[in-house]
PDB file of all heavy atoms in Angstrom:
ATOM      1  N   GLU A   1     -22.912 -25.243  63.020  1.00 92.00           N
ATOM      2  CA  GLU A   1     -22.365 -26.006  64.146  1.00 92.00           C
ATOM      3  C   GLU A   1     -20.861 -26.213  63.982  1.00 92.00           C
ATOM      4  O   GLU A   1     -20.105 -26.100  64.933  1.00 92.00           O
ATOM      5  CB  GLU A   1     -23.062 -27.367  64.262  1.00 92.00           C
ATOM      6  CG  GLU A   1     -24.475 -27.312  64.766  1.00 92.00           C
ATOM      7  CD  GLU A   1     -24.559 -26.925  66.233  1.00 92.00           C
ATOM      8  OE1 GLU A   1     -23.723 -27.406  67.033  1.00 92.00           O
ATOM      9  OE2 GLU A   1     -25.456 -26.139  66.573  1.00 92.00           O
ATOM     10  N   LEU A   2     -20.456 -26.565  62.774  1.00 92.00           N
ATOM     11  CA  LEU A   2     -19.055 -26.884  62.504  1.00 92.00           C
ATOM     12  C   LEU A   2     -18.152 -25.658  62.418  1.00 92.00           C
ATOM     13  O   LEU A   2     -16.996 -25.697  62.826  1.00 92.00           O
ATOM     14  CB  LEU A   2     -18.952 -27.681  61.196  1.00 92.00           C
ATOM     15  CG  LEU A   2     -19.570 -29.069  61.207  1.00 92.00           C
ATOM     16  CD1 LEU A   2     -19.656 -29.615  59.791  1.00 92.00           C
ATOM     17  CD2 LEU A   2     -18.763 -29.995  62.104  1.00 92.00           C
ATOM     18  N   HIS A   3     -18.674 -24.578  61.834  1.00 92.00           N
ATOM     19  CA  HIS A   3     -17.883 -23.363  61.605  1.00 92.00           C
ATOM     20  C   HIS A   3     -18.682 -22.133  62.038  1.00 92.00           C
ATOM     21  O   HIS A   3     -19.126 -21.340  61.199  1.00 92.00           O
ATOM     22  CB  HIS A   3     -17.502 -23.248  60.117  1.00 92.00           C
ATOM     23  CG  HIS A   3     -16.648 -24.363  59.642  1.00 92.00           C
ATOM     24  ND1 HIS A   3     -15.278 -24.358  59.799  1.00 92.00           N
ATOM     25  CD2 HIS A   3     -16.953 -25.537  59.040  1.00 92.00           C
ATOM     26  CE1 HIS A   3     -14.783 -25.477  59.304  1.00 92.00           C
ATOM     27  NE2 HIS A   3     -15.781 -26.204  58.835  1.00 92.00           N
ATOM     28  N   PRO A   4     -18.861 -21.966  63.356  1.00 92.00           N
ATOM     29  CA  PRO A   4     -19.694 -20.852  63.831  1.00 92.00           C
ATOM     30  C   PRO A   4     -19.132 -19.472  63.494  1.00 92.00           C
ATOM     31  O   PRO A   4     -19.875 -18.499  63.423  1.00 92.00           O
ATOM     32  CB  PRO A   4     -19.746 -21.065  65.354  1.00 92.00           C
ATOM     33  CG  PRO A   4     -18.621 -21.966  65.678  1.00 92.00           C
ATOM     34  CD  PRO A   4     -18.331 -22.769  64.447  1.00 92.00           C
ATOM     35  N   GLU A   5     -17.833 -19.405  63.237  1.00 91.00           N
ATOM     36  CA  GLU A   5     -17.206 -18.117  62.937  1.00 91.00           C
ATOM     37  C   GLU A   5     -17.472 -17.642  61.514  1.00 91.00           C
ATOM     38  O   GLU A   5     -17.291 -16.475  61.199  1.00 91.00           O
ATOM     39  CB  GLU A   5     -15.692 -18.193  63.186  1.00 91.00           C
ATOM     40  CG  GLU A   5     -14.909 -18.992  62.143  1.00 91.00           C
ATOM     41  CD  GLU A   5     -15.083 -20.511  62.202  1.00 91.00           C
ATOM     42  OE1 GLU A   5     -15.664 -21.019  63.173  1.00 91.00           O
ATOM     43  OE2 GLU A   5     -14.634 -21.175  61.254  1.00 91.00           O
ATOM     44  N   SER A   6     -17.877 -18.542  60.646  1.00 86.00           N
ATOM     45  CA  SER A   6     -18.080 -18.159  59.247  1.00 86.00           C
ATOM     46  C   SER A   6     -19.554 -17.930  58.948  1.00 86.00           C
ATOM     47  O   SER A   6     -20.425 -18.499  59.591  1.00 86.00           O
ATOM     48  CB  SER A   6     -17.526 -19.229  58.317  1.00 86.00           C
ATOM     49  OG  SER A   6     -18.274 -20.401  58.480  1.00 86.00           O
ATOM     50  N   GLU A   7     -19.782 -17.081  57.978  1.00 87.00           N
ATOM     51  CA  GLU A   7     -21.149 -16.803  57.543  1.00 87.00           C
ATOM     52  C   GLU A   7     -21.223 -17.032  56.036  1.00 87.00           C
ATOM     53  O   GLU A   7     -20.720 -16.220  55.265  1.00 87.00           O
ATOM     54  CB  GLU A   7     -21.544 -15.376  57.889  1.00 87.00           C
ATOM     55  CG  GLU A   7     -21.647 -15.136  59.379  1.00 87.00           C
ATOM     56  CD  GLU A   7     -22.177 -13.759  59.698  1.00 87.00           C
ATOM     57  OE1 GLU A   7     -22.855 -13.152  58.852  1.00 87.00           O
ATOM     58  OE2 GLU A   7     -21.901 -13.306  60.810  1.00 87.00           O
ATOM     59  N   ILE A   8     -21.844 -18.121  55.668  1.00 87.00           N
ATOM     60  CA  ILE A   8     -22.026 -18.428  54.247  1.00 87.00           C
ATOM     61  C   ILE A   8     -23.454 -18.084  53.873  1.00 87.00           C
ATOM     62  O   ILE A   8     -24.394 -18.479  54.567  1.00 87.00           O
ATOM     63  CB  ILE A   8     -21.744 -19.913  53.947  1.00 87.00           C
ATOM     64  CG1 ILE A   8     -20.280 -20.234  54.246  1.00 87.00           C
ATOM     65  CG2 ILE A   8     -22.069 -20.252  52.513  1.00 87.00           C
ATOM     66  CD1 ILE A   8     -19.910 -21.671  53.995  1.00 87.00           C
ATOM     67  N   ASP A   9     -23.610 -17.379  52.808  1.00 91.00           N
ATOM     68  CA  ASP A   9     -24.929 -16.996  52.308  1.00 91.00           C
ATOM     69  C   ASP A   9     -25.748 -18.258  52.024  1.00 91.00           C
ATOM     70  O   ASP A   9     -25.270 -19.183  51.364  1.00 91.00           O
ATOM     71  CB  ASP A   9     -24.755 -16.174  51.032  1.00 91.00           C
ATOM     72  CG  ASP A   9     -26.042 -15.553  50.547  1.00 91.00           C
ATOM     73  OD1 ASP A   9     -27.120 -16.120  50.776  1.00 91.00           O
ATOM     74  OD2 ASP A   9     -25.958 -14.481  49.925  1.00 91.00           O
ATOM     75  N   SER A  10     -26.970 -18.279  52.505  1.00 92.00           N
ATOM     76  CA  SER A  10     -27.830 -19.454  52.322  1.00 92.00           C
ATOM     77  C   SER A  10     -28.091 -19.745  50.838  1.00 92.00           C
ATOM     78  O   SER A  10     -28.320 -20.893  50.468  1.00 92.00           O
ATOM     79  CB  SER A  10     -29.151 -19.280  53.069  1.00 92.00           C
ATOM     80  OG  SER A  10     -29.832 -18.137  52.605  1.00 92.00           O
ATOM     81  N   ARG A  11     -28.017 -18.725  49.992  1.00 94.00           N
ATOM     82  CA  ARG A  11     -28.211 -18.948  48.555  1.00 94.00           C
ATOM     83  C   ARG A  11     -27.064 -19.766  47.964  1.00 94.00           C
ATOM     84  O   ARG A  11     -27.255 -20.558  47.047  1.00 94.00           O
ATOM     85  CB  ARG A  11     -28.354 -17.627  47.815  1.00 94.00           C
ATOM     86  CG  ARG A  11     -29.668 -16.896  48.167  1.00 94.00           C
ATOM     87  CD  ARG A  11     -29.697 -15.543  47.575  1.00 94.00           C
ATOM     88  NE  ARG A  11     -28.670 -14.741  48.264  1.00 94.00           N
ATOM     89  CZ  ARG A  11     -28.538 -13.441  48.157  1.00 94.00           C
ATOM     90  NH1 ARG A  11     -29.322 -12.773  47.354  1.00 94.00           N
ATOM     91  NH2 ARG A  11     -27.607 -12.792  48.818  1.00 94.00           N
ATOM     92  N   LEU A  12     -25.850 -19.588  48.513  1.00 94.00           N
ATOM     93  CA  LEU A  12     -24.707 -20.374  48.049  1.00 94.00           C
ATOM     94  C   LEU A  12     -24.839 -21.833  48.488  1.00 94.00           C
ATOM     95  O   LEU A  12     -24.482 -22.745  47.744  1.00 94.00           O
ATOM     96  CB  LEU A  12     -23.400 -19.779  48.572  1.00 94.00           C
ATOM     97  CG  LEU A  12     -23.073 -18.381  48.060  1.00 94.00           C
ATOM     98  CD1 LEU A  12     -21.837 -17.841  48.757  1.00 94.00           C
ATOM     99  CD2 LEU A  12     -22.887 -18.391  46.558  1.00 94.00           C
ATOM    100  N   ILE A  13     -25.357 -22.016  49.691  1.00 95.00           N
ATOM    101  CA  ILE A  13     -25.581 -23.393  50.162  1.00 95.00           C
ATOM    102  C   ILE A  13     -26.647 -24.049  49.299  1.00 95.00           C
ATOM    103  O   ILE A  13     -26.495 -25.189  48.869  1.00 95.00           O
ATOM    104  CB  ILE A  13     -25.981 -23.399  51.652  1.00 95.00           C
ATOM    105  CG1 ILE A  13     -24.814 -22.876  52.493  1.00 95.00           C
ATOM    106  CG2 ILE A  13     -26.393 -24.800  52.089  1.00 95.00           C
ATOM    107  CD1 ILE A  13     -25.146 -22.621  53.935  1.00 95.00           C
ATOM    108  N   ARG A  14     -27.724 -23.329  49.016  1.00 96.00           N
ATOM    109  CA  ARG A  14     -28.795 -23.886  48.180  1.00 96.00           C
ATOM    110  C   ARG A  14     -28.269 -24.223  46.789  1.00 96.00           C
ATOM    111  O   ARG A  14     -28.638 -25.240  46.192  1.00 96.00           O
ATOM    112  CB  ARG A  14     -29.954 -22.897  48.100  1.00 96.00           C
ATOM    113  CG  ARG A  14     -31.093 -23.272  47.172  1.00 96.00           C
ATOM    114  CD  ARG A  14     -31.688 -24.630  47.520  1.00 96.00           C
ATOM    115  NE  ARG A  14     -32.635 -25.053  46.527  1.00 96.00           N
ATOM    116  CZ  ARG A  14     -32.333 -25.677  45.389  1.00 96.00           C
ATOM    117  NH1 ARG A  14     -31.082 -25.960  45.079  1.00 96.00           N
ATOM    118  NH2 ARG A  14     -33.279 -26.046  44.560  1.00 96.00           N
ATOM    119  N   ALA A  15     -27.370 -23.403  46.263  1.00 95.00           N
ATOM    120  CA  ALA A  15     -26.799 -23.663  44.935  1.00 95.00           C
ATOM    121  C   ALA A  15     -25.930 -24.918  44.930  1.00 95.00           C
ATOM    122  O   ALA A  15     -25.760 -25.544  43.881  1.00 95.00           O
ATOM    123  CB  ALA A  15     -25.984 -22.458  44.473  1.00 95.00           C
ATOM    124  N   ALA A  16     -25.400 -25.303  46.089  1.00 96.00           N
ATOM    125  CA  ALA A  16     -24.565 -26.509  46.181  1.00 96.00           C
ATOM    126  C   ALA A  16     -25.395 -27.792  46.171  1.00 96.00           C
ATOM    127  O   ALA A  16     -24.864 -28.877  45.981  1.00 96.00           O
ATOM    128  CB  ALA A  16     -23.710 -26.457  47.441  1.00 96.00           C
ATOM    129  N   VAL A  17     -26.705 -27.659  46.376  1.00 96.00           N
ATOM    130  CA  VAL A  17     -27.602 -28.831  46.381  1.00 96.00           C
ATOM    131  C   VAL A  17     -28.155 -29.027  44.978  1.00 96.00           C
ATOM    132  O   VAL A  17     -28.791 -28.129  44.424  1.00 96.00           O
ATOM    133  CB  VAL A  17     -28.755 -28.651  47.391  1.00 96.00           C
ATOM    134  CG1 VAL A  17     -29.686 -29.860  47.375  1.00 96.00           C
ATOM    135  CG2 VAL A  17     -28.221 -28.398  48.791  1.00 96.00           C
ATOM    136  N   THR A  18     -27.896 -30.185  44.411  1.00 94.00           N
ATOM    137  CA  THR A  18     -28.369 -30.470  43.054  1.00 94.00           C
ATOM    138  C   THR A  18     -29.291 -31.680  43.057  1.00 94.00           C
ATOM    139  O   THR A  18     -29.184 -32.556  43.913  1.00 94.00           O
ATOM    140  CB  THR A  18     -27.180 -30.749  42.106  1.00 94.00           C
ATOM    141  OG1 THR A  18     -26.449 -31.879  42.593  1.00 94.00           O
ATOM    142  CG2 THR A  18     -26.263 -29.550  42.012  1.00 94.00           C
ATOM    143  N   VAL A  19     -30.180 -31.707  42.084  1.00 93.00           N
ATOM    144  CA  VAL A  19     -31.072 -32.849  41.904  1.00 93.00           C
ATOM    145  C   VAL A  19     -30.444 -33.754  40.851  1.00 93.00           C
ATOM    146  O   VAL A  19     -30.163 -33.315  39.737  1.00 93.00           O
ATOM    147  CB  VAL A  19     -32.480 -32.401  41.464  1.00 93.00           C
ATOM    148  CG1 VAL A  19     -33.386 -33.600  41.261  1.00 93.00           C
ATOM    149  CG2 VAL A  19     -33.074 -31.431  42.477  1.00 93.00           C
ATOM    150  N   GLU A  20     -30.212 -34.988  41.230  1.00 90.00           N
ATOM    151  CA  GLU A  20     -29.600 -35.966  40.339  1.00 90.00           C
ATOM    152  C   GLU A  20     -30.693 -36.867  39.750  1.00 90.00           C
ATOM    153  O   GLU A  20     -31.872 -36.636  39.963  1.00 90.00           O
ATOM    154  CB  GLU A  20     -28.579 -36.804  41.113  1.00 90.00           C
ATOM    155  CG  GLU A  20     -27.524 -35.983  41.825  1.00 90.00           C
ATOM    156  CD  GLU A  20     -26.552 -35.323  40.894  1.00 90.00           C
ATOM    157  OE1 GLU A  20     -26.026 -36.015  40.004  1.00 90.00           O
ATOM    158  OE2 GLU A  20     -26.300 -34.120  41.060  1.00 90.00           O
ATOM    159  N   ARG A  21     -30.269 -37.894  39.098  1.00 83.00           N
ATOM    160  CA  ARG A  21     -31.220 -38.843  38.506  1.00 83.00           C
ATOM    161  C   ARG A  21     -32.088 -39.498  39.578  1.00 83.00           C
ATOM    162  O   ARG A  21     -31.688 -39.624  40.716  1.00 83.00           O
ATOM    163  CB  ARG A  21     -30.462 -39.907  37.713  1.00 83.00           C
ATOM    164  CG  ARG A  21     -29.618 -40.785  38.626  1.00 83.00           C
ATOM    165  CD  ARG A  21     -28.629 -41.622  37.896  1.00 83.00           C
ATOM    166  NE  ARG A  21     -27.889 -42.544  38.689  1.00 83.00           N
ATOM    167  CZ  ARG A  21     -27.303 -42.346  39.848  1.00 83.00           C
ATOM    168  NH1 ARG A  21     -27.437 -41.206  40.456  1.00 83.00           N
ATOM    169  NH2 ARG A  21     -26.603 -43.276  40.453  1.00 83.00           N
ATOM    170  N   ASP A  22     -33.254 -39.889  39.209  1.00 79.00           N
ATOM    171  CA  ASP A  22     -34.189 -40.611  40.085  1.00 79.00           C
ATOM    172  C   ASP A  22     -34.477 -39.895  41.395  1.00 79.00           C
ATOM    173  O   ASP A  22     -34.698 -40.536  42.417  1.00 79.00           O
ATOM    174  CB  ASP A  22     -33.664 -42.031  40.380  1.00 79.00           C
ATOM    175  CG  ASP A  22     -33.490 -42.846  39.111  1.00 79.00           C
ATOM    176  OD1 ASP A  22     -34.276 -42.641  38.168  1.00 79.00           O
ATOM    177  OD2 ASP A  22     -32.573 -43.677  39.070  1.00 79.00           O
ATOM    178  N   GLY A  23     -34.431 -38.575  41.387  1.00 74.00           N
ATOM    179  CA  GLY A  23     -34.758 -37.815  42.587  1.00 74.00           C
ATOM    180  C   GLY A  23     -33.680 -37.813  43.650  1.00 74.00           C
ATOM    181  O   GLY A  23     -33.887 -37.295  44.741  1.00 74.00           O
ATOM    182  N   LEU A  24     -32.526 -38.373  43.353  1.00 88.00           N
ATOM    183  CA  LEU A  24     -31.404 -38.361  44.284  1.00 88.00           C
ATOM    184  C   LEU A  24     -30.915 -36.921  44.427  1.00 88.00           C
ATOM    185  O   LEU A  24     -30.771 -36.215  43.438  1.00 88.00           O
ATOM    186  CB  LEU A  24     -30.292 -39.254  43.727  1.00 88.00           C
ATOM    187  CG  LEU A  24     -29.064 -39.499  44.570  1.00 88.00           C
ATOM    188  CD1 LEU A  24     -29.422 -40.370  45.772  1.00 88.00           C
ATOM    189  CD2 LEU A  24     -28.007 -40.209  43.740  1.00 88.00           C
ATOM    190  N   LEU A  25     -30.701 -36.487  45.660  1.00 93.00           N
ATOM    191  CA  LEU A  25     -30.209 -35.138  45.900  1.00 93.00           C
ATOM    192  C   LEU A  25     -28.756 -35.196  46.327  1.00 93.00           C
ATOM    193  O   LEU A  25     -28.362 -36.077  47.089  1.00 93.00           O
ATOM    194  CB  LEU A  25     -31.042 -34.455  46.984  1.00 93.00           C
ATOM    195  CG  LEU A  25     -32.508 -34.228  46.610  1.00 93.00           C
ATOM    196  CD1 LEU A  25     -33.303 -33.793  47.824  1.00 93.00           C
ATOM    197  CD2 LEU A  25     -32.614 -33.192  45.525  1.00 93.00           C
ATOM    198  N   ALA A  26     -27.955 -34.275  45.835  1.00 95.00           N
ATOM    199  CA  ALA A  26     -26.524 -34.266  46.138  1.00 95.00           C
ATOM    200  C   ALA A  26     -26.112 -32.893  46.640  1.00 95.00           C
ATOM    201  O   ALA A  26     -26.612 -31.873  46.180  1.00 95.00           O
ATOM    202  CB  ALA A  26     -25.728 -34.614  44.890  1.00 95.00           C
ATOM    203  N   VAL A  27     -25.191 -32.898  47.604  1.00 96.00           N
ATOM    204  CA  VAL A  27     -24.580 -31.659  48.082  1.00 96.00           C
ATOM    205  C   VAL A  27     -23.145 -31.674  47.589  1.00 96.00           C
ATOM    206  O   VAL A  27     -22.342 -32.518  48.009  1.00 96.00           O
ATOM    207  CB  VAL A  27     -24.616 -31.559  49.623  1.00 96.00           C
ATOM    208  CG1 VAL A  27     -23.979 -30.258  50.075  1.00 96.00           C
ATOM    209  CG2 VAL A  27     -26.032 -31.678  50.141  1.00 96.00           C
ATOM    210  N   ARG A  28     -22.829 -30.776  46.678  1.00 95.00           N
ATOM    211  CA  ARG A  28     -21.469 -30.639  46.137  1.00 95.00           C
ATOM    212  C   ARG A  28     -20.696 -29.718  47.076  1.00 95.00           C
ATOM    213  O   ARG A  28     -20.927 -28.512  47.112  1.00 95.00           O
ATOM    214  CB  ARG A  28     -21.503 -30.057  44.731  1.00 95.00           C
ATOM    215  CG  ARG A  28     -22.420 -30.790  43.773  1.00 95.00           C
ATOM    216  CD  ARG A  28     -21.862 -32.128  43.394  1.00 95.00           C
ATOM    217  NE  ARG A  28     -22.802 -32.825  42.517  1.00 95.00           N
ATOM    218  CZ  ARG A  28     -22.637 -34.053  42.153  1.00 95.00           C
ATOM    219  NH1 ARG A  28     -21.590 -34.733  42.562  1.00 95.00           N
ATOM    220  NH2 ARG A  28     -23.514 -34.633  41.379  1.00 95.00           N
ATOM    221  N   VAL A  29     -19.809 -30.293  47.848  1.00 96.00           N
ATOM    222  CA  VAL A  29     -19.163 -29.582  48.948  1.00 96.00           C
ATOM    223  C   VAL A  29     -17.974 -28.729  48.506  1.00 96.00           C
ATOM    224  O   VAL A  29     -17.586 -27.801  49.200  1.00 96.00           O
ATOM    225  CB  VAL A  29     -18.750 -30.599  50.042  1.00 96.00           C
ATOM    226  CG1 VAL A  29     -18.059 -29.919  51.194  1.00 96.00           C
ATOM    227  CG2 VAL A  29     -19.979 -31.352  50.531  1.00 96.00           C
ATOM    228  N   ALA A  30     -17.408 -28.971  47.349  1.00 94.00           N
ATOM    229  CA  ALA A  30     -16.178 -28.286  46.928  1.00 94.00           C
ATOM    230  C   ALA A  30     -16.285 -26.764  46.995  1.00 94.00           C
ATOM    231  O   ALA A  30     -15.385 -26.096  47.506  1.00 94.00           O
ATOM    232  CB  ALA A  30     -15.786 -28.735  45.521  1.00 94.00           C
ATOM    233  N   GLY A  31     -17.354 -26.197  46.476  1.00 92.00           N
ATOM    234  CA  GLY A  31     -17.520 -24.744  46.493  1.00 92.00           C
ATOM    235  C   GLY A  31     -17.632 -24.184  47.901  1.00 92.00           C
ATOM    236  O   GLY A  31     -17.082 -23.132  48.215  1.00 92.00           O
ATOM    237  N   LEU A  32     -18.336 -24.899  48.759  1.00 93.00           N
ATOM    238  CA  LEU A  32     -18.479 -24.463  50.143  1.00 93.00           C
ATOM    239  C   LEU A  32     -17.131 -24.537  50.856  1.00 93.00           C
ATOM    240  O   LEU A  32     -16.787 -23.666  51.651  1.00 93.00           O
ATOM    241  CB  LEU A  32     -19.514 -25.327  50.875  1.00 93.00           C
ATOM    242  CG  LEU A  32     -20.928 -25.312  50.296  1.00 93.00           C
ATOM    243  CD1 LEU A  32     -21.810 -26.324  51.021  1.00 93.00           C
ATOM    244  CD2 LEU A  32     -21.521 -23.922  50.368  1.00 93.00           C
ATOM    245  N   ALA A  33     -16.373 -25.584  50.564  1.00 94.00           N
ATOM    246  CA  ALA A  33     -15.048 -25.749  51.180  1.00 94.00           C
ATOM    247  C   ALA A  33     -14.125 -24.600  50.793  1.00 94.00           C
ATOM    248  O   ALA A  33     -13.365 -24.095  51.629  1.00 94.00           O
ATOM    249  CB  ALA A  33     -14.445 -27.092  50.774  1.00 94.00           C
ATOM    250  N   THR A  34     -14.196 -24.173  49.552  1.00 93.00           N
ATOM    251  CA  THR A  34     -13.375 -23.051  49.089  1.00 93.00           C
ATOM    252  C   THR A  34     -13.706 -21.789  49.885  1.00 93.00           C
ATOM    253  O   THR A  34     -12.804 -21.074  50.316  1.00 93.00           O
ATOM    254  CB  THR A  34     -13.600 -22.801  47.581  1.00 93.00           C
ATOM    255  OG1 THR A  34     -13.250 -23.988  46.871  1.00 93.00           O
ATOM    256  CG2 THR A  34     -12.769 -21.647  47.086  1.00 93.00           C
ATOM    257  N   LEU A  35     -14.981 -21.544  50.104  1.00 90.00           N
ATOM    258  CA  LEU A  35     -15.397 -20.365  50.876  1.00 90.00           C
ATOM    259  C   LEU A  35     -14.924 -20.421  52.320  1.00 90.00           C
ATOM    260  O   LEU A  35     -14.635 -19.395  52.932  1.00 90.00           O
ATOM    261  CB  LEU A  35     -16.925 -20.229  50.851  1.00 90.00           C
ATOM    262  CG  LEU A  35     -17.549 -19.910  49.505  1.00 90.00           C
ATOM    263  CD1 LEU A  35     -19.064 -20.023  49.588  1.00 90.00           C
ATOM    264  CD2 LEU A  35     -17.137 -18.522  49.046  1.00 90.00           C
ATOM    265  N   LEU A  36     -14.838 -21.638  52.868  1.00 91.00           N
ATOM    266  CA  LEU A  36     -14.419 -21.806  54.263  1.00 91.00           C
ATOM    267  C   LEU A  36     -12.916 -22.013  54.415  1.00 91.00           C
ATOM    268  O   LEU A  36     -12.409 -22.100  55.532  1.00 91.00           O
ATOM    269  CB  LEU A  36     -15.153 -22.999  54.887  1.00 91.00           C
ATOM    270  CG  LEU A  36     -16.650 -22.830  55.077  1.00 91.00           C
ATOM    271  CD1 LEU A  36     -17.299 -24.150  55.461  1.00 91.00           C
ATOM    272  CD2 LEU A  36     -16.926 -21.776  56.140  1.00 91.00           C
ATOM    273  N   GLY A  37     -12.213 -22.151  53.293  1.00 91.00           N
ATOM    274  CA  GLY A  37     -10.778 -22.386  53.346  1.00 91.00           C
ATOM    275  C   GLY A  37     -10.434 -23.786  53.824  1.00 91.00           C
ATOM    276  O   GLY A  37      -9.413 -23.996  54.464  1.00 91.00           O
ATOM    277  N   SER A  38     -11.306 -24.760  53.518  1.00 92.00           N
ATOM    278  CA  SER A  38     -11.094 -26.153  53.923  1.00 92.00           C
ATOM    279  C   SER A  38     -10.876 -27.021  52.698  1.00 92.00           C
ATOM    280  O   SER A  38     -11.245 -26.648  51.591  1.00 92.00           O
ATOM    281  CB  SER A  38     -12.326 -26.687  54.666  1.00 92.00           C
ATOM    282  OG  SER A  38     -12.574 -25.970  55.832  1.00 92.00           O
ATOM    283  N   ALA A  39     -10.331 -28.200  52.935  1.00 95.00           N
ATOM    284  CA  ALA A  39     -10.237 -29.194  51.868  1.00 95.00           C
ATOM    285  C   ALA A  39     -11.633 -29.778  51.657  1.00 95.00           C
ATOM    286  O   ALA A  39     -12.364 -30.019  52.623  1.00 95.00           O
ATOM    287  CB  ALA A  39      -9.256 -30.289  52.254  1.00 95.00           C
ATOM    288  N   ALA A  40     -12.018 -29.988  50.399  1.00 95.00           N
ATOM    289  CA  ALA A  40     -13.370 -30.431  50.073  1.00 95.00           C
ATOM    290  C   ALA A  40     -13.735 -31.758  50.747  1.00 95.00           C
ATOM    291  O   ALA A  40     -14.802 -31.883  51.336  1.00 95.00           O
ATOM    292  CB  ALA A  40     -13.543 -30.537  48.560  1.00 95.00           C
ATOM    293  N   GLU A  41     -12.852 -32.747  50.644  1.00 95.00           N
ATOM    294  CA  GLU A  41     -13.179 -34.054  51.222  1.00 95.00           C
ATOM    295  C   GLU A  41     -13.229 -33.998  52.743  1.00 95.00           C
ATOM    296  O   GLU A  41     -14.031 -34.685  53.361  1.00 95.00           O
ATOM    297  CB  GLU A  41     -12.211 -35.125  50.731  1.00 95.00           C
ATOM    298  CG  GLU A  41     -12.490 -35.489  49.280  1.00 95.00           C
ATOM    299  CD  GLU A  41     -11.796 -36.753  48.830  1.00 95.00           C
ATOM    300  OE1 GLU A  41     -11.313 -37.530  49.674  1.00 95.00           O
ATOM    301  OE2 GLU A  41     -11.754 -36.965  47.609  1.00 95.00           O
ATOM    302  N   GLU A  42     -12.399 -33.169  53.351  1.00 95.00           N
ATOM    303  CA  GLU A  42     -12.419 -33.021  54.810  1.00 95.00           C
ATOM    304  C   GLU A  42     -13.740 -32.395  55.258  1.00 95.00           C
ATOM    305  O   GLU A  42     -14.377 -32.864  56.203  1.00 95.00           O
ATOM    306  CB  GLU A  42     -11.250 -32.156  55.264  1.00 95.00           C
ATOM    307  CG  GLU A  42     -11.194 -31.944  56.759  1.00 95.00           C
ATOM    308  CD  GLU A  42     -10.057 -31.026  57.166  1.00 95.00           C
ATOM    309  OE1 GLU A  42      -9.035 -30.976  56.463  1.00 95.00           O
ATOM    310  OE2 GLU A  42     -10.200 -30.349  58.195  1.00 95.00           O
TER     311      GLU A  42
END
């Protein structure tokens, strides 16, 4: 929705999702931002 022009491999997106303590799930956006040429926090 946000970046229709880009195609990121779903395996890379899955790799950005990590399981933290107590079953908390986190999406580490920095790697995805690099692929899209965006700032991570943005």
Side-chain angles (χ1 to χ4, degrees):
E1 288 290 319
L2 294 168
H3 298 276
E5 73 287 350
S6 65
E7 293 186 23
I8 296 179
D9 189 330
S10 59
R11 292 173 292 191
L12 296 174
I13 295 171
R14 175 57 188 84
V17 179
T18 60
V19 179
E20 305 290 311
R21 66 193 185 315
D22 300 327
L24 185 70
L25 296 169
V27 180
R28 308 288 178 187
V29 179
L32 300 174
T34 301
L35 293 171
L36 292 170
S38 298
E41 287 194 15
E42 180 183 331

